Amino acid sequence: MNIEEICSRVVVVALPATSVHEGARLLREHHVGALVVIDSRQNSRPLGIVTDRDMVVEVLAMGIDPAKLPVGRLMTGNIVSVNASEGVLETIRMMQSEGVRRVVVVDNAGALVGIVSFNDLVPYVSEALAGLATAIIGAQHREREMRT
């Protein structure tokens, strides 16, 4: 299964000049925890990501006025992205190696396709593990029947 099949296509985006205050309002309005900062000149190419935690820890806790700080100055510039055709397990490995909770999904041209988070992956992984558990139980049952 490709990550494109699991990722959320509803991505809240902002331009680098958008204020942190406006970014926080967008997160609240859309009930999400991350904002993808895009370059409008290059077909929505992701430039960085800003999380609700970034806003609290780096802005509010430091006493910085969120209305005066653009998200472009707060964003994580080394964005972790994965191609939409990448597999789920490869994406999970990337998240582990990079130490991130969210990965931006892009197409072959680098344009934004979606975003995938731990929350998106847990149901998929849980379903796969449940299937494996069922297969193990079935195999054990079949083996017992064959030996009696």
Side-chain angles (χ1 to χ4, degrees):
M1 175 177 283
N2 292 343
I3 201 64
E4 182 176 28
E5 298 173 55
I6 294 175
C7 76
S8 174
R9 299 215 178 234
V10 178
V11 183
V12 179
V13 299
L15 298 175
T18 304
S19 73
V20 170
H21 180 262
E22 175 63 13
R25 189 194 64 72
L26 288 169
L27 294 181
R28 183 177 190 277
E29 178 182 323
H30 296 282
H31 308 285
V32 296
L35 178 71
V36 176
V37 181
I38 60 167
D39 183 348
S40 65
R41 298 167 298 172
Q42 295 187 0
N43 296 327
S44 300
R45 186 177 64 85
L47 299 173
I49 192 165
V50 176
T51 67
D52 49 3
R53 180 171 168 74
D54 294 332
M55 293 176 182
V56 170
V57 172
E58 299 297 330
V59 179
L60 295 178
M62 299 303 291
I64 299 170
D65 183 354
K68 294 181 179 176
L69 182 68
V71 294
R73 292 206 33 224
L74 182 61
M75 71 181 185
T76 303
N78 291 340
I79 193 163
V80 178
S81 64
V82 63
N83 189 284
S85 64
E86 196 68 58
V88 173
L89 293 179
E90 291 79 8
T91 301
I92 292 170
R93 285 186 196 109
M94 179 184 291
M95 292 171 86
Q96 289 172 326
S97 68
E98 296 292 330
V100 295
R101 298 177 192 177
R102 295 172 182 88
V103 175
V104 174
V105 181
V106 296
D107 64 16
N108 290 334
L112 182 64
V113 170
I115 190 166
V116 66
S117 70
F118 284 165
N119 293 355
D120 300 316
L121 293 168
V122 167
Y124 170 80
V125 172
S126 297
E127 184 178 318
L129 288 174
L132 286 173
T134 301
I136 289 169
I137 292 167
Q140 290 170 340
H141 179 71
R142 195 172 117 229
E143 184 178 330
R144 271 192 231 102
E145 286 181 353
M146 290 174 60
R147 294 192 179 185
T148 56

